[in-house]
Amino acid sequence: MSAVASLEAAFFHPSAAELDARDEFPARACRDLNEWGLHHYYVPACLGGRLASYPELLGLIRVVAQQDMTVAVAHSKTLLGGIPVWLAAEPEQARWLARQILSGTVVSLGLTERSHGSDLLGGELTARLEDSHYRLDGEKWLINNATRGPVMAVLARTSSEGGPRGFDLLLVDRRDLDPGTYRCLPKERTHGIRGADISGIAYTGAVVPESARVGTPGSGVETVLKGMQLTRTMCAGLALGAGEHALRRALRLSPEPSHGNRELVDAYADLLGAEALAIAGSRSIHFLPRELSILSAVVKYAVPTWIDDAIAALARTLGQTVVDDAMFQKIRRDAAIVGLFDGSTVVNLNLIIHQFPALAKNRPGNRPPSSAYDVRGELPGLDRYRLSLLAPHGVSLLHTLPAAIRHLPPGPLADLGQSFLNRAVEIRAGLPPARARIPAAHYEAAARITTCIAGAAAIEIWLANRHHATGPLWHQGSWLAAVLTRLLTRLGHRPPADPARDETLYTALQDQARTGQPISLFEERR
Amino acid sequence: MTAVDPALRTTLHFAFSRRLYGITVAEMPHARSVLAGVFTDLLTVDATPDELVAYRLQDEALRDLAAIMGARGYLRDGPYAAFGETLRQSLATATSYESTRDYEHGLFLTAHACTERWRDARRQPGTPGFLADSTWLRAVLHRVAGRRAGRLRPLPDKLTDAIMTELTTRLADHAAFGLER
């Protein structure tokens, strides 16, 4: 049994709705997850943990989120605090944090401030270096687990001018601070993920040793941005879990929605397309680290947006019983957070827009090894030195799309593929040059190129897994045809309807939801 | 679906006061285009005879505004708490229409109804300039056509500017964001 399947079987959390109603932290569920050992998957295998596969981690986060997003957010926050340290810290510091996490310490990541939000370079919390100690002054706010986690990776301004090299990441262990030099800020009551500890911390002259700095002086922003390439991709697990939860819940509440329900089938296809993109993105952490600056933004923009659309469509189409359900309402409120944290939708579109020139450039490339997109394929270890803030050669999924299309079986699938390729070529050719003040139309162009990349990812996932994957979704390429149809529709191009295929998807969804199988492309959790 | 009107008002207050990357959110072309689009949709909702169109436009409007509000729109306390409350209420409201109803046909009826409203407004002596002028109708038709084609493009800059001017004036005058000023 895979780790993901075993976690799914072991994790049982029936009190999600009650805790939510009381804004109560899911302490028991988090303890259960620790007992199972989920925190070991936040620490790289080379440091004694079990993190060796990001696709696996994506799956683990997803199966927790499909029961309760609040628990997934509360527990996996430790990963956010850990990742920048795994990427940039000296071995001794990394080993220290690994020991902390493995023994159950909760770690948080302190990036945002009250007046600056996503504008990291606007940060005002300062760390002044005095005699091999940093003195911290200022506040971090809306930080997940700021109060519950004794250790926080804090992004601090270390040069008064600031700028991209003017910040450092400091690993601050509150247990070592003079209690008079810091204060935890009260929990903020939130719209969704109500039980989560969304709070903050204020430092007044807190002193930490110089050795608390992660990486070389001035590297804080770069480390954080690289870390986000990984965590943004993992955020997709939260959204996929919420989408799966919403579909399952909605179908349970309205067991026989009318056949041929277009919006229901579309919502399912959106979830499947989001899943294919998330799997491709998480595998790219291992295979294509140089492209992650774009791919992670694509995943973080598209997956939560489509899932949010799909959940809205369910509410719209399945009527009052579903909408009145407290759990369904919770899923919707919870799902809305994923588009906000770790870089909002707009922030991610900005990241894509800044790389338009690279995305437009054509570069003949070889198709990836078949193991790259085969969910059973071996993964090379993550090479952190190959992570980069820019992807000068763009995204290879786009370069190899014409070659991939040629492998689709002739018939409806190849036709859809060709039609998709034509749009992608047009869209890439029409990408405008980046400008300092970004016009509104650029955001639409970024959303469109995202759709192109998602389609290319779906095609590669289908090609690499079609010989071994089982289930009716894989018969005659049903899911790929449905996903490409949805993506083409998002691009303003409507392929003809295919009622037989809709029926296949509808039946597959009903079966998956009724029998408690994963609502997923794959019958087995990985 | 509760009124999007107060949510838009809250978002405007936020957008004019929040500074990011050295400018206010209301100065960012993307946010301006979203705000102008939402206002246009509220005008459309006011004129449409179709419940499904009204519901979907308001639902999308709230989600668009939530993207501008970011984390502030997710808090249940503080100056923008009303926003989350509107969102919560709207999530708990179902539509009363039949799910088989045709959205595209509804959009067609909507375009027609908006054009009629504009014609009537023009004939009516004493109609405020904005409502008699074709700007709002062009914006409405741009968005209705975009939705019918499945591709909602941002409004052209000129329309965005004109609509933002009206929106700002109404905000200052505490006027409603509908076709009846």
mmCIF file of all heavy atoms in Angstrom, chain A residues 23 114 116-119 189-192 309 316 320 332-333 437-438 443-444 448 494, chain B residues 18 20-21 27 29-30 63 72 74 76-77 84 91-92 94 97 104 148-151:
data_model
loop_
_atom_site.group_PDB
_atom_site.id
_atom_site.type_symbol
_atom_site.label_atom_id
_atom_site.label_comp_id
_atom_site.label_asym_id
_atom_site.label_seq_id
_atom_site.Cartn_x
_atom_site.Cartn_y
_atom_site.Cartn_z
ATOM 1 N N ASP A 23 -14.750 27.589 15.862
ATOM 2 C CA ASP A 23 -13.425 28.182 15.572
ATOM 3 C C ASP A 23 -12.322 27.479 16.361
ATOM 4 O O ASP A 23 -11.381 28.109 16.825
ATOM 5 C CB ASP A 23 -13.378 29.678 15.933
ATOM 6 C CG ASP A 23 -14.324 30.513 15.117
ATOM 7 O OD1 ASP A 23 -13.940 30.921 14.016
ATOM 8 O OD2 ASP A 23 -15.474 30.725 15.578
ATOM 9 N N ARG A 114 1.376 43.519 8.305
ATOM 10 C CA ARG A 114 0.078 44.168 8.273
ATOM 11 C C ARG A 114 -0.097 45.105 7.071
ATOM 12 O O ARG A 114 -1.098 45.065 6.390
ATOM 13 C CB ARG A 114 -0.103 44.974 9.560
ATOM 14 C CG ARG A 114 -1.503 45.038 10.071
ATOM 15 C CD ARG A 114 -1.504 45.725 11.427
ATOM 16 N NE ARG A 114 -1.184 44.812 12.517
ATOM 17 C CZ ARG A 114 -2.101 44.117 13.193
ATOM 18 N NH1 ARG A 114 -3.365 44.232 12.898
ATOM 19 N NH2 ARG A 114 -1.739 43.303 14.174
ATOM 20 N N HIS A 116 1.828 45.327 4.292
ATOM 21 C CA HIS A 116 2.509 45.024 3.025
ATOM 22 C C HIS A 116 2.047 43.773 2.304
ATOM 23 O O HIS A 116 2.313 43.629 1.116
ATOM 24 C CB HIS A 116 4.017 44.970 3.254
ATOM 25 C CG HIS A 116 4.554 46.206 3.878
ATOM 26 N ND1 HIS A 116 4.608 47.408 3.204
ATOM 27 C CD2 HIS A 116 4.985 46.452 5.124
ATOM 28 C CE1 HIS A 116 5.075 48.335 4.026
ATOM 29 N NE2 HIS A 116 5.313 47.788 5.195
ATOM 30 N N GLY A 117 1.363 42.885 2.999
ATOM 31 C CA GLY A 117 0.827 41.699 2.334
ATOM 32 C C GLY A 117 1.840 40.988 1.467
ATOM 33 O O GLY A 117 2.914 40.623 1.925
ATOM 34 N N SER A 118 1.485 40.839 0.196
ATOM 35 C CA SER A 118 2.338 40.068 -0.712
ATOM 36 C C SER A 118 3.602 40.830 -1.122
ATOM 37 O O SER A 118 4.495 40.267 -1.737
ATOM 38 C CB SER A 118 1.543 39.718 -1.960
ATOM 39 O OG SER A 118 1.141 40.915 -2.613
ATOM 40 N N ASP A 119 3.686 42.115 -0.789
ATOM 41 C CA ASP A 119 4.832 42.937 -1.183
ATOM 42 C C ASP A 119 5.987 42.683 -0.211
ATOM 43 O O ASP A 119 6.209 43.444 0.737
ATOM 44 C CB ASP A 119 4.389 44.410 -1.169
ATOM 45 C CG ASP A 119 5.501 45.361 -1.583
ATOM 46 O OD1 ASP A 119 6.581 44.874 -1.972
ATOM 47 O OD2 ASP A 119 5.282 46.578 -1.511
ATOM 48 N N ARG A 189 -10.035 35.807 13.558
ATOM 49 C CA ARG A 189 -11.150 34.977 13.122
ATOM 50 C C ARG A 189 -11.277 35.100 11.610
ATOM 51 O O ARG A 189 -11.326 36.203 11.071
ATOM 52 C CB ARG A 189 -12.439 35.426 13.802
ATOM 53 C CG ARG A 189 -12.386 35.264 15.323
ATOM 54 C CD ARG A 189 -13.741 35.445 15.955
ATOM 55 N NE ARG A 189 -14.447 36.579 15.375
ATOM 56 C CZ ARG A 189 -15.749 36.588 15.121
ATOM 57 N NH1 ARG A 189 -16.485 35.532 15.389
ATOM 58 N NH2 ARG A 189 -16.321 37.657 14.600
ATOM 59 N N THR A 190 -11.291 33.954 10.939
ATOM 60 C CA THR A 190 -11.280 33.964 9.475
ATOM 61 C C THR A 190 -12.590 33.407 8.920
ATOM 62 O O THR A 190 -13.329 32.704 9.600
ATOM 63 C CB THR A 190 -10.104 33.118 8.953
ATOM 64 O OG1 THR A 190 -10.052 31.901 9.698
ATOM 65 C CG2 THR A 190 -8.795 33.853 9.104
ATOM 66 N N HIS A 191 -12.813 33.728 7.654
ATOM 67 C CA HIS A 191 -14.007 33.329 6.918
ATOM 68 C C HIS A 191 -14.078 31.801 6.775
ATOM 69 O O HIS A 191 -15.090 31.176 7.040
ATOM 70 C CB HIS A 191 -13.885 34.029 5.573
ATOM 71 C CG HIS A 191 -14.967 33.771 4.604
ATOM 72 N ND1 HIS A 191 -16.283 33.985 4.901
ATOM 73 C CD2 HIS A 191 -14.924 33.340 3.313
ATOM 74 C CE1 HIS A 191 -17.000 33.689 3.827
ATOM 75 N NE2 HIS A 191 -16.208 33.294 2.865
ATOM 76 N N GLY A 192 -12.957 31.203 6.381
ATOM 77 C CA GLY A 192 -12.857 29.740 6.293
ATOM 78 C C GLY A 192 -11.675 29.284 7.139
ATOM 79 O O GLY A 192 -11.126 30.093 7.888
ATOM 80 N N ASP A 309 -14.023 27.439 -9.214
ATOM 81 C CA ASP A 309 -15.074 27.478 -10.246
ATOM 82 C C ASP A 309 -15.945 26.229 -10.171
ATOM 83 O O ASP A 309 -17.172 26.299 -10.279
ATOM 84 C CB ASP A 309 -14.463 27.506 -11.659
ATOM 85 C CG ASP A 309 -13.852 28.861 -11.997
ATOM 86 O OD1 ASP A 309 -14.051 29.811 -11.215
ATOM 87 O OD2 ASP A 309 -13.174 28.951 -13.035
ATOM 88 N N ARG A 316 -24.322 25.905 -7.766
ATOM 89 C CA ARG A 316 -25.283 26.508 -8.688
ATOM 90 C C ARG A 316 -26.234 25.455 -9.240
ATOM 91 O O ARG A 316 -27.407 25.689 -9.436
ATOM 92 C CB ARG A 316 -24.464 27.114 -9.818
ATOM 93 C CG ARG A 316 -25.170 28.061 -10.702
ATOM 94 C CD ARG A 316 -24.144 28.895 -11.439
ATOM 95 N NE ARG A 316 -23.332 28.080 -12.327
ATOM 96 C CZ ARG A 316 -22.025 28.237 -12.489
ATOM 97 N NH1 ARG A 316 -21.364 29.154 -11.834
ATOM 98 N NH2 ARG A 316 -21.368 27.477 -13.320
ATOM 99 N N GLN A 320 -30.644 23.750 -3.441
ATOM 100 C CA GLN A 320 -30.715 24.160 -2.042
ATOM 101 C C GLN A 320 -30.163 23.128 -1.050
ATOM 102 O O GLN A 320 -29.500 23.509 -0.091
ATOM 103 C CB GLN A 320 -32.176 24.487 -1.702
ATOM 104 C CG GLN A 320 -32.343 25.320 -0.438
ATOM 105 C CD GLN A 320 -31.874 26.757 -0.627
ATOM 106 O OE1 GLN A 320 -32.221 27.416 -1.591
ATOM 107 N NE2 GLN A 320 -31.040 27.233 0.285
ATOM 108 N N ARG A 332 -16.504 25.238 0.797
ATOM 109 C CA ARG A 332 -16.386 26.418 -0.074
ATOM 110 C C ARG A 332 -15.594 27.531 0.585
ATOM 111 O O ARG A 332 -14.745 28.160 -0.031
ATOM 112 C CB ARG A 332 -17.782 26.963 -0.398
ATOM 113 C CG ARG A 332 -18.389 26.374 -1.619
ATOM 114 C CD ARG A 332 -19.567 27.200 -2.086
ATOM 115 N NE ARG A 332 -19.166 28.116 -3.142
ATOM 116 C CZ ARG A 332 -20.036 28.871 -3.803
ATOM 117 N NH1 ARG A 332 -21.314 28.850 -3.513
ATOM 118 N NH2 ARG A 332 -19.623 29.670 -4.762
ATOM 119 N N ARG A 333 -15.898 27.786 1.863
ATOM 120 C CA ARG A 333 -15.177 28.857 2.565
ATOM 121 C C ARG A 333 -13.704 28.505 2.683
ATOM 122 O O ARG A 333 -12.836 29.339 2.493
ATOM 123 C CB ARG A 333 -15.773 29.058 3.962
ATOM 124 C CG ARG A 333 -17.082 29.821 3.968
ATOM 125 C CD ARG A 333 -17.538 30.136 5.384
ATOM 126 N NE ARG A 333 -18.186 29.022 6.051
ATOM 127 C CZ ARG A 333 -17.645 28.275 7.013
ATOM 128 N NH1 ARG A 333 -16.422 28.531 7.443
ATOM 129 N NH2 ARG A 333 -18.308 27.287 7.553
ATOM 130 N N ARG A 437 4.516 48.852 -16.075
ATOM 131 C CA ARG A 437 3.172 48.944 -15.511
ATOM 132 C C ARG A 437 2.299 48.022 -16.351
ATOM 133 O O ARG A 437 2.016 48.312 -17.515
ATOM 134 C CB ARG A 437 2.694 50.401 -15.592
ATOM 135 C CG ARG A 437 1.440 50.663 -14.802
ATOM 136 C CD ARG A 437 1.307 52.167 -14.527
ATOM 137 N NE ARG A 437 0.175 52.437 -13.673
ATOM 138 C CZ ARG A 437 -1.005 52.872 -14.128
ATOM 139 N NH1 ARG A 437 -1.178 53.097 -15.417
ATOM 140 N NH2 ARG A 437 -1.987 53.093 -13.294
ATOM 141 N N ILE A 438 1.899 46.913 -15.753
ATOM 142 C CA ILE A 438 1.304 45.836 -16.543
ATOM 143 C C ILE A 438 -0.150 46.142 -16.888
ATOM 144 O O ILE A 438 -0.977 46.315 -16.004
ATOM 145 C CB ILE A 438 1.381 44.509 -15.763
ATOM 146 C CG1 ILE A 438 2.837 44.212 -15.387
ATOM 147 C CG2 ILE A 438 0.815 43.372 -16.583
ATOM 148 C CD1 ILE A 438 2.983 43.080 -14.398
ATOM 149 N N TYR A 443 -3.009 40.139 -18.044
ATOM 150 C CA TYR A 443 -3.437 39.119 -17.094
ATOM 151 C C TYR A 443 -4.275 38.056 -17.795
ATOM 152 O O TYR A 443 -4.200 36.876 -17.483
ATOM 153 C CB TYR A 443 -4.201 39.746 -15.922
ATOM 154 C CG TYR A 443 -3.274 40.546 -15.040
ATOM 155 C CD1 TYR A 443 -2.965 41.867 -15.339
ATOM 156 C CD2 TYR A 443 -2.668 39.960 -13.949
ATOM 157 C CE1 TYR A 443 -2.085 42.580 -14.564
ATOM 158 C CE2 TYR A 443 -1.786 40.665 -13.164
ATOM 159 C CZ TYR A 443 -1.493 41.981 -13.475
ATOM 160 O OH TYR A 443 -0.612 42.678 -12.715
ATOM 161 N N GLU A 444 -5.059 38.521 -18.749
ATOM 162 C CA GLU A 444 -5.849 37.550 -19.499
ATOM 163 C C GLU A 444 -4.918 36.670 -20.336
ATOM 164 O O GLU A 444 -5.094 35.457 -20.424
ATOM 165 C CB GLU A 444 -6.868 38.268 -20.394
ATOM 166 C CG GLU A 444 -7.983 37.342 -20.841
ATOM 167 C CD GLU A 444 -8.303 37.435 -22.317
ATOM 168 O OE1 GLU A 444 -7.778 38.333 -23.006
ATOM 169 O OE2 GLU A 444 -9.077 36.587 -22.785
ATOM 170 N N ARG A 448 -4.408 32.616 -20.256
ATOM 171 C CA ARG A 448 -4.514 31.777 -21.457
ATOM 172 C C ARG A 448 -3.284 30.886 -21.641
ATOM 173 O O ARG A 448 -3.403 29.713 -21.985
ATOM 174 C CB ARG A 448 -4.751 32.662 -22.684
ATOM 175 C CG ARG A 448 -6.174 33.202 -22.712
ATOM 176 C CD ARG A 448 -6.302 34.402 -23.623
ATOM 177 N NE ARG A 448 -6.188 34.092 -25.041
ATOM 178 C CZ ARG A 448 -7.149 33.505 -25.754
ATOM 179 N NH1 ARG A 448 -8.281 33.164 -25.175
ATOM 180 N NH2 ARG A 448 -6.984 33.271 -27.026
ATOM 181 N N ARG A 494 -15.181 26.363 -28.886
ATOM 182 C CA ARG A 494 -16.032 25.295 -28.373
ATOM 183 C C ARG A 494 -16.047 24.056 -29.249
ATOM 184 O O ARG A 494 -16.665 24.065 -30.310
ATOM 185 C CB ARG A 494 -17.444 25.815 -28.210
ATOM 186 C CG ARG A 494 -17.787 25.914 -26.742
ATOM 187 C CD ARG A 494 -19.074 26.602 -26.580
ATOM 188 N NE ARG A 494 -18.818 28.005 -26.273
ATOM 189 C CZ ARG A 494 -19.710 28.769 -25.707
ATOM 190 N NH1 ARG A 494 -20.897 28.311 -25.440
ATOM 191 N NH2 ARG A 494 -19.414 30.013 -25.425
ATOM 192 N N ARG B 18 -5.133 50.897 0.336
ATOM 193 C CA ARG B 18 -4.054 49.921 0.439
ATOM 194 C C ARG B 18 -2.932 50.249 -0.550
ATOM 195 O O ARG B 18 -3.181 50.393 -1.750
ATOM 196 C CB ARG B 18 -4.627 48.539 0.116
ATOM 197 C CG ARG B 18 -3.617 47.427 0.116
ATOM 198 C CD ARG B 18 -3.253 47.032 1.504
ATOM 199 N NE ARG B 18 -2.709 45.689 1.553
ATOM 200 C CZ ARG B 18 -2.202 45.172 2.665
ATOM 201 N NH1 ARG B 18 -2.177 45.863 3.770
ATOM 202 N NH2 ARG B 18 -1.729 43.942 2.650
ATOM 203 N N LEU B 20 0.582 48.912 -2.211
ATOM 204 C CA LEU B 20 1.449 47.765 -2.447
ATOM 205 C C LEU B 20 2.398 48.135 -3.578
ATOM 206 O O LEU B 20 1.983 48.759 -4.555
ATOM 207 C CB LEU B 20 0.634 46.536 -2.868
ATOM 208 C CG LEU B 20 -0.201 45.794 -1.801
ATOM 209 C CD1 LEU B 20 -0.997 44.688 -2.450
ATOM 210 C CD2 LEU B 20 0.667 45.254 -0.689
ATOM 211 N N TYR B 21 3.627 47.761 -3.454
ATOM 212 C CA TYR B 21 4.620 48.023 -4.503
ATOM 213 C C TYR B 21 4.647 49.518 -4.861
ATOM 214 O O TYR B 21 4.807 49.892 -6.031
ATOM 215 C CB TYR B 21 4.337 47.195 -5.764
ATOM 216 C CG TYR B 21 4.093 45.734 -5.469
ATOM 217 C CD1 TYR B 21 2.800 45.218 -5.456
ATOM 218 C CD2 TYR B 21 5.153 44.876 -5.185
ATOM 219 C CE1 TYR B 21 2.567 43.881 -5.168
ATOM 220 C CE2 TYR B 21 4.930 43.548 -4.899
ATOM 221 C CZ TYR B 21 3.634 43.045 -4.896
ATOM 222 O OH TYR B 21 3.403 41.729 -4.614
ATOM 223 N N GLU B 27 -4.802 52.022 -8.191
ATOM 224 C CA GLU B 27 -4.030 52.520 -9.340
ATOM 225 C C GLU B 27 -3.519 51.388 -10.231
ATOM 226 O O GLU B 27 -2.983 51.627 -11.307
ATOM 227 C CB GLU B 27 -2.836 53.338 -8.838
ATOM 228 C CG GLU B 27 -3.231 54.682 -8.268
ATOM 229 C CD GLU B 27 -2.066 55.379 -7.570
ATOM 230 O OE1 GLU B 27 -1.570 54.839 -6.557
ATOM 231 O OE2 GLU B 27 -1.664 56.442 -8.048
ATOM 232 N N PRO B 29 -3.604 48.685 -12.921
ATOM 233 C CA PRO B 29 -4.507 48.478 -14.058
ATOM 234 C C PRO B 29 -5.373 47.227 -13.914
ATOM 235 O O PRO B 29 -6.548 47.242 -14.268
ATOM 236 C CB PRO B 29 -3.549 48.344 -15.243
ATOM 237 C CG PRO B 29 -2.314 49.054 -14.828
ATOM 238 C CD PRO B 29 -2.208 48.887 -13.345
ATOM 239 N N HIS B 30 -4.801 46.168 -13.362
ATOM 240 C CA HIS B 30 -5.579 44.934 -13.249
ATOM 241 C C HIS B 30 -6.752 45.127 -12.279
ATOM 242 O O HIS B 30 -7.895 44.774 -12.583
ATOM 243 C CB HIS B 30 -4.673 43.797 -12.775
ATOM 244 C CG HIS B 30 -5.405 42.516 -12.551
ATOM 245 N ND1 HIS B 30 -5.698 42.049 -11.297
ATOM 246 C CD2 HIS B 30 -5.939 41.631 -13.410
ATOM 247 C CE1 HIS B 30 -6.368 40.914 -11.408
ATOM 248 N NE2 HIS B 30 -6.520 40.633 -12.677
ATOM 249 N N ARG B 63 -16.557 36.814 -6.224
ATOM 250 C CA ARG B 63 -15.271 36.113 -6.269
ATOM 251 C C ARG B 63 -14.174 37.000 -6.853
ATOM 252 O O ARG B 63 -13.031 36.969 -6.408
ATOM 253 C CB ARG B 63 -15.415 34.793 -7.021
ATOM 254 C CG ARG B 63 -16.262 33.806 -6.184
ATOM 255 C CD ARG B 63 -16.145 32.399 -6.656
ATOM 256 N NE ARG B 63 -16.865 32.168 -7.894
ATOM 257 C CZ ARG B 63 -16.434 31.359 -8.863
ATOM 258 N NH1 ARG B 63 -15.302 30.738 -8.734
ATOM 259 N NH2 ARG B 63 -17.153 31.179 -9.941
ATOM 260 N N ARG B 72 -7.466 40.382 3.515
ATOM 261 C CA ARG B 72 -8.361 41.271 4.278
ATOM 262 C C ARG B 72 -9.823 40.864 4.118
ATOM 263 O O ARG B 72 -10.623 41.022 5.021
ATOM 264 C CB ARG B 72 -8.211 42.729 3.847
ATOM 265 C CG ARG B 72 -6.882 43.335 4.179
ATOM 266 C CD ARG B 72 -6.594 43.274 5.659
ATOM 267 N NE ARG B 72 -5.165 43.378 5.868
ATOM 268 C CZ ARG B 72 -4.555 44.439 6.365
ATOM 269 N NH1 ARG B 72 -5.245 45.475 6.737
ATOM 270 N NH2 ARG B 72 -3.239 44.441 6.502
ATOM 271 N N TYR B 74 -10.814 37.985 3.975
ATOM 272 C CA TYR B 74 -10.984 36.666 4.586
ATOM 273 C C TYR B 74 -11.110 36.769 6.101
ATOM 274 O O TYR B 74 -11.296 35.791 6.783
ATOM 275 C CB TYR B 74 -9.791 35.787 4.200
ATOM 276 C CG TYR B 74 -10.090 34.305 4.152
ATOM 277 C CD1 TYR B 74 -10.853 33.762 3.121
ATOM 278 C CD2 TYR B 74 -9.613 33.446 5.126
ATOM 279 C CE1 TYR B 74 -11.132 32.408 3.081
ATOM 280 C CE2 TYR B 74 -9.887 32.084 5.089
ATOM 281 C CZ TYR B 74 -10.649 31.570 4.058
ATOM 282 O OH TYR B 74 -10.927 30.221 4.013
ATOM 283 N N ARG B 76 -12.856 37.997 9.681
ATOM 284 C CA ARG B 76 -14.208 38.264 10.176
ATOM 285 C C ARG B 76 -14.250 39.449 11.134
ATOM 286 O O ARG B 76 -15.300 39.798 11.640
ATOM 287 C CB ARG B 76 -14.771 37.019 10.862
ATOM 288 C CG ARG B 76 -15.478 36.095 9.888
ATOM 289 C CD ARG B 76 -15.307 34.656 10.297
ATOM 290 N NE ARG B 76 -16.008 34.342 11.516
ATOM 291 C CZ ARG B 76 -15.648 33.374 12.361
ATOM 292 N NH1 ARG B 76 -14.572 32.647 12.104
ATOM 293 N NH2 ARG B 76 -16.348 33.136 13.431
ATOM 294 N N ASP B 77 -13.101 40.057 11.406
ATOM 295 C CA ASP B 77 -13.072 41.252 12.250
ATOM 296 C C ASP B 77 -12.290 42.334 11.509
ATOM 297 O O ASP B 77 -11.699 42.081 10.478
ATOM 298 C CB ASP B 77 -12.390 40.938 13.594
ATOM 299 C CG ASP B 77 -13.158 39.880 14.371
ATOM 300 O OD1 ASP B 77 -14.317 40.139 14.731
ATOM 301 O OD2 ASP B 77 -12.596 38.786 14.581
ATOM 302 N N GLY B 84 -16.444 39.698 4.245
ATOM 303 C CA GLY B 84 -16.527 38.257 4.456
ATOM 304 C C GLY B 84 -17.948 37.821 4.784
ATOM 305 O O GLY B 84 -18.390 36.749 4.374
ATOM 306 N N LEU B 91 -22.775 32.522 -0.152
ATOM 307 C CA LEU B 91 -22.469 31.101 -0.337
ATOM 308 C C LEU B 91 -23.619 30.232 0.163
ATOM 309 O O LEU B 91 -23.767 29.090 -0.241
ATOM 310 C CB LEU B 91 -21.198 30.712 0.421
ATOM 311 C CG LEU B 91 -19.889 31.326 -0.044
ATOM 312 C CD1 LEU B 91 -18.722 30.678 0.671
ATOM 313 C CD2 LEU B 91 -19.709 31.167 -1.542
ATOM 314 N N ALA B 92 -24.406 30.779 1.081
ATOM 315 C CA ALA B 92 -25.492 29.987 1.661
ATOM 316 C C ALA B 92 -26.807 30.219 0.929
ATOM 317 O O ALA B 92 -27.862 29.831 1.396
ATOM 318 C CB ALA B 92 -25.634 30.332 3.139
ATOM 319 N N ALA B 94 -28.990 29.601 -2.486
ATOM 320 C CA ALA B 94 -29.061 28.838 -3.734
ATOM 321 C C ALA B 94 -29.863 29.642 -4.759
ATOM 322 O O ALA B 94 -30.487 30.642 -4.425
ATOM 323 C CB ALA B 94 -29.727 27.498 -3.495
ATOM 324 N N TYR B 97 -33.694 28.974 -9.898
ATOM 325 C CA TYR B 97 -34.005 28.617 -11.280
ATOM 326 C C TYR B 97 -33.799 27.122 -11.521
ATOM 327 O O TYR B 97 -33.128 26.447 -10.755
ATOM 328 C CB TYR B 97 -33.132 29.420 -12.243
ATOM 329 C CG TYR B 97 -31.674 29.065 -12.116
ATOM 330 C CD1 TYR B 97 -31.137 28.017 -12.870
ATOM 331 C CD2 TYR B 97 -30.842 29.728 -11.227
ATOM 332 C CE1 TYR B 97 -29.825 27.650 -12.730
ATOM 333 C CE2 TYR B 97 -29.531 29.367 -11.084
ATOM 334 C CZ TYR B 97 -29.031 28.332 -11.837
ATOM 335 O OH TYR B 97 -27.737 27.951 -11.693
ATOM 336 N N GLU B 104 -26.820 30.800 -22.047
ATOM 337 C CA GLU B 104 -26.509 31.623 -23.222
ATOM 338 C C GLU B 104 -27.726 32.377 -23.734
ATOM 339 O O GLU B 104 -27.624 33.531 -24.152
ATOM 340 C CB GLU B 104 -25.932 30.755 -24.332
ATOM 341 C CG GLU B 104 -24.504 30.439 -24.020
ATOM 342 C CD GLU B 104 -23.843 29.693 -25.134
ATOM 343 O OE1 GLU B 104 -24.113 30.041 -26.302
ATOM 344 O OE2 GLU B 104 -23.088 28.768 -24.832
ATOM 345 N N ARG B 148 -20.675 35.127 -23.622
ATOM 346 C CA ARG B 148 -21.300 34.214 -24.598
ATOM 347 C C ARG B 148 -20.238 33.458 -25.366
ATOM 348 O O ARG B 148 -20.404 32.289 -25.700
ATOM 349 C CB ARG B 148 -22.185 35.006 -25.577
ATOM 350 C CG ARG B 148 -23.471 35.473 -24.943
ATOM 351 C CD ARG B 148 -24.484 35.830 -25.998
ATOM 352 N NE ARG B 148 -25.101 34.654 -26.569
ATOM 353 C CZ ARG B 148 -25.795 34.659 -27.700
ATOM 354 N NH1 ARG B 148 -25.954 35.777 -28.382
ATOM 355 N NH2 ARG B 148 -26.336 33.556 -28.150
ATOM 356 N N ALA B 149 -19.121 34.128 -25.664
ATOM 357 C CA ALA B 149 -18.060 33.472 -26.424
ATOM 358 C C ALA B 149 -17.197 32.595 -25.521
ATOM 359 O O ALA B 149 -16.307 31.902 -25.997
ATOM 360 C CB ALA B 149 -17.198 34.527 -27.110
ATOM 361 N N GLY B 150 -17.436 32.648 -24.217
ATOM 362 C CA GLY B 150 -16.622 31.861 -23.296
ATOM 363 C C GLY B 150 -15.272 32.495 -23.034
ATOM 364 O O GLY B 150 -14.354 31.854 -22.538
ATOM 365 N N ARG B 151 -15.108 33.763 -23.398
ATOM 366 C CA ARG B 151 -13.820 34.410 -23.169
ATOM 367 C C ARG B 151 -14.058 35.853 -22.743
ATOM 368 O O ARG B 151 -14.319 36.734 -23.575
ATOM 369 C CB ARG B 151 -12.987 34.368 -24.444
ATOM 370 C CG ARG B 151 -11.653 35.009 -24.246
ATOM 371 C CD ARG B 151 -10.820 34.980 -25.496
ATOM 372 N NE ARG B 151 -9.635 35.795 -25.271
ATOM 373 C CZ ARG B 151 -8.836 36.220 -26.219
ATOM 374 N NH1 ARG B 151 -9.062 35.914 -27.472
ATOM 375 N NH2 ARG B 151 -7.802 36.963 -25.918
#
